Each structure stands twice: as structure tokens, then as C-alpha cells.
């Protein structure tokens, strides 16, 4: 509010109505020039694809030649047939179930690990904070594909020193077996993003005035009590934010299973919803179903993210 | 740092502040040895988890194919040849690796510079020009932050291939210059760091809006711009799905796509395992050095982005 009144030129007080409206018009013109380049491209790369995907998902290709071969191809309205097709596809649904299970396990694990590391680094008992912080954050600089190649080598018997060590110890581990490969992927994702999450939490911890911690300590709280009752409640917003980003990230799971696929026969083309949509589009050559699946994926991501935000929002209100 | 100004403004107490603080400091910064040992061990275990794969990559980049399979992964072979193997990676197939690396630099560099400028202009306008529908516009941008990128990549491919843009440099570059998160960050930052009175003064001096933005706005927003650039650079550099669906011509590939195409052939040409390891090492090291060196900016970005949300 005060910003609006401030931005008016001082002499405007004398003839407020005309000057104000002229300022407004000038504001709108200038704002348009600054905002338009971004929004033109935002429209092209965000709004138009969504619109186009919805449009495509509602159509199907019909061939007019005999037996459906040759002749002319043209798109006709298909209603919700593509959605029905996607939702009737067991492998697509299994893939969804798989990433939901993945998220339900990996996200809490990663958040707990990142919180623990952030609290340890920010505690008074920590030495070598800069080194450890850099070490934990380092994997974030490794692209998902490279991380998957890297861990892929660490999983494959023959190359992997981990498997060799386990062998010597008498354990028979198979990181790429049907039941374990999902958790091997969870390990890659955790390895990559724990440091990033930790840094978000540290950023929030740092924004809290030191006096607050000191006051708690003077009141006789030990390190654990300060962490539990002062620090944890204060980093709640950062925890919520990183959880939402993790939910979105989990649903997009693609690069890791895609890269591990040649190594693990247990990963099929419908391992994750994203992989399924990709193979519908480029292997099955079925753009319309792929479009429907992309729309469904975006919808589920939005519902889960907003659902989570509302859930924690409401709980926050109850607490006061 | 943020605690300094209020203390500096406080009237100087008769007893110097320092003499009252050491008891508190002393108690809080020197916890029992037991705690310090536990903390150090936990941090060390975690550091091992995060560093061992990178260590493995470094060691393995010095090995030839036979040693890659034949020797213990966590130790060097009898004949480590770090430089020779990496030169092999760079010269294989007429230096296609160098080309991929250049493509990645091009996509990430140009993409991030343009994204930063577009975000800066949009965020600045959203913060500093009250106009009708401003909040609605901002909410659309926020929704953009929450839309999963890969859910967009396929539709974007359908659209771009209908427009004839698929399989060109533009197909990867154009989507890379749009950063809703950048706009969000720039708006928050501009609202806090660019004083209205300064803009007003510049206007009264007769400066045009473009000059005010270029001369004052951009300069005052520099920390936020560095952050947006870094985030976007890493985002584009790490992006795999978009180039994968957009590009079929391997001479346009960014580094990630190139390396996975090598692993795809490694069954038939085992030397490509070695080249994949060497190539991964070469691509990862500069970025990791950059990231750890610029951590400060990540933290600013994260604070602005999460704490004030």
C-alpha cells in the first residue's frame, strides 16, 4: 500500500486525479515493456504446450485407407478415450504406484537425513563446518544422468567395488534385482539432493537471530532441546518447501531408471509414469495417449503439491 | 552480519560488551568432548557416503578398460594413466566429446544469461510498477514454478515439432530462457533492495524507465541476478529429458545425452565404458569446483526463495 502512494511524484498532491491516472497509465506502459518479453516466452513454453497437450489428448489419428493402411491420416475428436486408455493400462498405473511408494519412503528419509546434517553442522560441537558442508553439497553438482552412470558402475557386478567387498564379507547383494532396484535408484536421488535440502535448511537456520538460541541455552536447554524445540519449529517453512519440490521431483523420475535400464532387466518401459509416456510417444508412436499421460502426470503433481501445502497449512493454523 | 547494525546503534554501555559475553560464549562454543566426538564421527560417515562415488570416479578415470573390470575399484591400477586416457576421450570420434561439451556450454551459458535478463526485467516490473492484474500475473508465474518440467517436455516437443523447431539448437535454447523461479526471486529481491525514492529521484532527473532499470535496477539487483544465473545454468546443464525428446541429431547433443549414447553402444564396443567414465569425470569436475566455490550465492538464493515465501 505504502509503495503505491510512494511511487507517485510528490507534486501530485495538488492535482491528484489527473496526475494519478497519468502515472498509472505510464506505469502500465513501462511495466508492459518489462514484463512482455518474459511472458511471450512463458506463454510459448508453459501455457501453449499445456493447451496443446490437452488438445492432443482429446483427439486420435484416423487413417482413411483400406484396412487402415496408407491413405490419408487425420485427427478426429476422441473425447476422453485416450485418458481411458491410459488409466486402463496396468503398467502405467503400476508405474504411478511405484513412484508414490518411492516418494513415501525416499522423501521422508532424505528430509530427516538433511535435517540431521543441518542441525549437526549448525551445532556448536561441529568442527570443519566449511569442509563438511561442501562435501555434502558436492553431489548436487553432478547431473542426474552422470550420477546414474556413476552409481550404475557401483551397482554392476564385475566392476563394482561395493559388490566385491560384500562378496568378501560373504553377503550376496544384487543392487539391480527386481525388488531392490527401486531402492538403488532411491539411493542415487538421496545422494544427489540431500546436500541441497540441507543447504536450504541451513539458510533458514542462519536467518534466525542468534540471540534466540542463546536465550534458550541460558534458560538451561541442552543442545538437543534447542534443536527440538527452537530450531525445528523455525525451519518448518523450509521443510515444507523442500518436501513440495521433492514430491514434484519424484513424479518426474526419469533419467535414473532410463540410464540404469540397460544394466537392469527388472526396469521395463513402464517403470515410471514418465518413462511410460516417453515410450508411448517415441516407441509406440502414440502421441495422443502420451499427451494424455503427460496431462495426468501434471495434474497428479499439482494435486499432491497443493494437497500437501494445504495439509501442513491447516495443521499450522490449529497449532496457532 | 544482520545483527551488527542494531548493536552499533545501541548506546555504549558502561561495561564493555565483550566482558559480559565470554562466559556465555565459552559455555556454548565448548560443549563436552563426548558431544564433539559424536558430532565429528557422524559428519565423517556422511562425508564418506557423499565423497566415495566421486573418489571412485577419479580413480577409475586413470584406468584402461581391462583394469576397469579387472582391478579393485577403490584403488589405482599398476599403471595409472590419467592424462593419456582423458586425451583419448577428447579425441575419440573426431573430438565429438568436445563438441558435446561446447553444446552444453552454449545451451547453459546463453540460456542462463537470457533467462537472468528476462527474469530481472519481469521481476523488477512486478515489484516496482503497481498495475492492475499484477497479482494475477504473479500467481501464474508461481504456478509455473510448481509444474513439473518433464510433464511439460513432451507437450513442448509435440508443439515444437508441429512448428518445425524440433531437432534444432532453438528447441533446447528457447525453453531454457524461461525461468519462473527467476522471476519470483527477482521480484522479492527488487521489492526489498531497490528503493522507490531512488527511482523517483531518477525520474525527476528526467531518466527514462529503460535507463533507470539498466543503470540502477540491474546494479542493485546484482546478488539476485548472480543467483538466478547460477540456478538456471545448473538447471540447463543437468537437464536430460528435454534434449532427449527434442534432439535426434547427435551433433546437437549436450554432454549428458552424448555420454548416455556411449553407454548405449558399450555392449558392442567395450572401450566406450572407459570413455564414459573418463567423460563423466571431465564433465563433473569443473562444475563441482564451481558449485562449491559459489556456495555463498546458493545460500542467498535459497534464503530469499524459501524463507520469505
Amino acid at each position: 500500500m505504502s509503495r503505491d502512494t510512494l511511487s507517485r511524484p510528490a507534486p501530485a498532491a495538488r492535482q491528484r486525479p489527473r496526475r494519478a491516472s497519468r502515472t498509472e497509465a505510464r506505469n502500465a506502459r513501462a511495466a508492459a515493456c518489462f514484463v512482455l518479453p518474459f511472458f511471450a516466452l512463458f506463454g510459448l513454453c508453459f501455457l501453449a504446450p499445456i493447451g496443446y497437450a490437452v488438445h492432443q489428448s482429446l483427439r486420435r489419428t484416423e487413417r482413411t485407407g483400406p484396412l487402415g493402411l496408407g491413405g490419408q491420416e487425420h485427427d478426429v475428436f476422441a473425447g476422453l478415450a485416450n485418458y481411458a486408455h491410459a488409466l486402463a493400462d496396468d503398467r502405467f498405473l503400476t508405474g504411478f504406484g511405484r513412484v508414490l511408494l518411492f516418494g513415501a519412503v525416499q522423501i521422508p528419509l532424505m528430509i530427516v537425513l538433511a535435517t540431521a546434517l543441518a542441525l549437526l553442522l549448525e551445532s556448536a560441537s561441529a568442527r570443519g563446518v566449511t569442509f563438511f558442508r561442501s562435501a555434502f553439497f558436492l553431489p548436487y553438482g553432478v547431473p542426474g544422468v552422470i550420477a546414474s552412470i556413476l552409481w550404475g558402475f557401483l551397482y554392476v557386478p564385475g566392476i563394482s567395488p561395493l559388490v566385491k567387498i560384500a562378496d568378501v564379507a560373504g553377503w550376496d547383494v544384487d543392487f539391480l534385482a527386481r525388488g531392490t532396484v527401486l531402492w538403488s535408484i532411491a539411493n542415487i536421488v538421496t545422494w544427489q539432493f540431500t546436500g541441497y535440502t540441507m543447504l536450504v535448511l541451513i539458510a533458514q537456520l542462519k536467518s534466525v537471530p542468534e540471540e534466540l538460541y542463546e536465550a534458550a541455552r541460558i534458560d538451561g536447554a541442552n543442545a538437543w532441546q534447542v534443536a527440538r524445540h527452537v530450531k525445528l519449529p523455525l525451519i518448518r517453512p523450509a521443510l515444507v518447501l523442500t518436501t513440495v519440490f521433492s514430491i514434484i521431483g519424484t513424479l518426474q523420475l526419469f533419467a535414473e531408471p532410463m540410464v540404469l535400464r540397460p544394466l537392469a532387466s527388472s526396469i521395463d518401459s513402464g517403470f515410471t509414469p514418465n518413462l511410460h509416456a516417453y515410450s508411448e510417444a517415441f516407441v509406440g508412436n502414440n502421441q495422443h495417449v502420451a499427451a494424455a499421460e503427460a496431462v495426468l502426470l501434471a495434474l497428479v503433481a499439482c494435486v499432491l503439491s497443493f494437497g500437501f501445502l494445504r495439509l501442513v497449512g491447516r495443521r499450522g493454523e490449529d497449532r496457532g | 552480519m544482520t545483527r551488527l547494525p542494531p548493536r552499533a546503534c545501541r548506546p555504549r554501555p558502561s561495561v564493555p560488551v565483550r566482558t559480559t559475553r565470554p562466559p556465555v560464549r565459552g559455555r556454548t562454543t565448548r560443549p563436552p568432548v563426548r558431544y564433539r566426538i559424536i558430532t565429528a564421527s557422524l559428519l565423517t560417515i556422511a562425508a564418506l557416503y557423499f565423497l566415495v562415488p566421486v573418489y571412485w570416479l577419479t580413480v577409475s578415470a586413470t584406468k584402461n578398460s581391462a583394469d576397469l573390470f579387472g582391478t579393485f575399484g577403490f584403488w589405482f591400477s599398476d599403471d595409472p594413466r590419467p592424462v593419456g586416457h582423458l586425451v583419448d576421450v577428447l579425441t575419440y570420434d573426431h573430438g565429438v566429446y568436445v563438441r558435446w561439451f561446447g553444446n552444453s556450454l552454449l545451451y547453459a551459458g546463453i540460456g542462463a544469461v537470457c533467462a537472468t535478463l528476462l527474469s530481472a526485467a519481469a521481476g523488477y516490473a512486478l515489484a516496482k510498477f503497481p498495475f492492475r492484474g499484477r497479482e494475477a500475473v504473479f500467481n501464474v508465474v508461481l504456478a509455473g514454478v510448481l509444474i513439473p518440467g518433464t510433464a511439460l517436455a513432451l507437450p513442448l516437443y509435440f508443439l515444437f515439432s508441429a512448428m518445425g523447431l524440433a531437432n534444432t539448437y532453438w528447441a533446447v535454447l528457447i525453453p531454457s530462457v524461461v525461468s519462473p523461479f527467476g522471476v519470483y526471486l527477482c521480484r522479492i529481491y527488487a521489492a526489498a533492495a531497490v528503493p522507490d525514492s531512488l527511482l523517483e529521484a531518477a525520474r525527476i532527473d528526467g531518466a527514462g524507465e529503460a535507463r533507470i532499470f539498466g543503470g540502477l535496477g540491474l546494479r542493485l539487483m546484482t546478488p539476485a541476478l548472480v543467483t538466478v544465473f547460477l540456478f538456471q545454468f545448473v538447471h540447463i546443464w543437468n537437464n536430460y529429458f528435454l534434449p532427449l525428446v527434442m534432439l535426434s541429431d547427435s551433433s546437437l547433443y549436450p554432454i549428458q545425452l552424448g555420454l548416455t549414447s556411449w553407454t548405449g553402444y558399450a555392449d558392442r564396443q567395450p572401450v566406450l565404458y572407459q570413455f564414459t567414465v573418463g567423460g563423466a569425470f571431465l564433465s563433473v569436475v569443473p562444475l563441482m569446483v564451481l558449485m562449491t566455490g559459489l556456495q555463498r550465492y546458493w545460500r542467498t538464493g535459497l534464503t530469499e526463495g524459501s524463507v520469505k515465501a
Side-chain angles (χ1 to χ4, degrees), chain B residues 116-282:
Chain B
T116 308
L117 287 176
L118 290 177
S119 305
Y124 171 82
L126 286 172
K128 290 295 151 190
F129 295 100
F131 59 91
R132 230 187 309 155
R134 179 167 76 163
E135 291 313 310
V137 164
F138 188 57
N139 285 334
V140 173
V141 176
L142 277 187
V145 178
L146 287 181
I147 294 175
T150 55
L152 274 177
L154 267 183
L156 201 61
Y157 166 74
F158 298 146
L159 184 71
F160 275 21
S161 79
M163 293 164 67
L165 281 173
N167 199 28
T168 63
Y169 275 114
W170 298 113
V172 178
L173 263 179
I174 294 175
S176 302
V177 304
V178 186
S179 166
F181 176 73
V183 174
Y184 168 73
L185 192 65
C186 286
R187 182 198 178 165
I188 291 172
Y189 198 87
V194 183
D196 287 309
S197 51
L198 205 62
L199 299 184
E200 250 351 289
R203 276 178 200 134
I204 289 165
D205 287 348
E209 293 297 338
R211 248 196 80 194
I212 298 176
F213 171 66
L216 278 176
L218 282 183
R219 210 158 295 170
L220 290 169
M221 288 163 72
T222 305
L225 300 186
V226 175
T227 310
V228 172
F229 175 85
L230 280 175
F231 267 92
Q232 195 63 9
F233 188 93
V234 171
H235 174 76
I236 303 171
W237 188 277
N238 291 358
N239 199 346
Y240 173 62
F241 196 50
L242 182 75
L244 177 73
V245 298
M246 286 292 183
L247 305 175
S248 49
D249 180 352
S250 72
S251 65
L252 302 178
Y253 281 3
I255 194 88
Q256 267 78 261
L257 214 48
L259 286 177
T260 50
S261 75
W262 275 358
T263 53
Y265 289 116
D267 270 350
R268 274 151 282 174
Q269 252 180 295
V271 72
L272 285 176
Y273 281 120
Q274 177 198 328
F275 288 168
T276 308
V277 170
F281 176 78
L282 278 179

Side-chain angles (χ1 to χ4, degrees), chain B residues 53-72:
Chain B
V54 180
Y55 167 74
W56 175 86
L57 186 67
T58 314
V59 169
S60 300
T62 66
K63 294 180 181 176
N64 63 26
S65 295
D67 287 342
L68 199 57
F69 289 91
T71 59
F72 185 59

Side-chain angles (χ1 to χ4, degrees), chain B residues 43-54:
Chain B
L43 289 175
T44 308
I45 293 169
L48 280 178
Y49 170 61
F50 291 112
L51 292 179
V52 159
V54 180

Side-chain angles (χ1 to χ4, degrees), chain A residues 7 124 134 187 217 252 274, chain B residues 3 28 49 137 149-150 200 295:
Chain A
S7 65
S134 307
N187 172 54
R217 282 188 209 114
Q252 303 186 65
N274 224 341
Chain B
R3 288 183 297 133
T28 54
Y49 170 61
V137 164
T150 55
E200 250 351 289
Q295 262 188 76

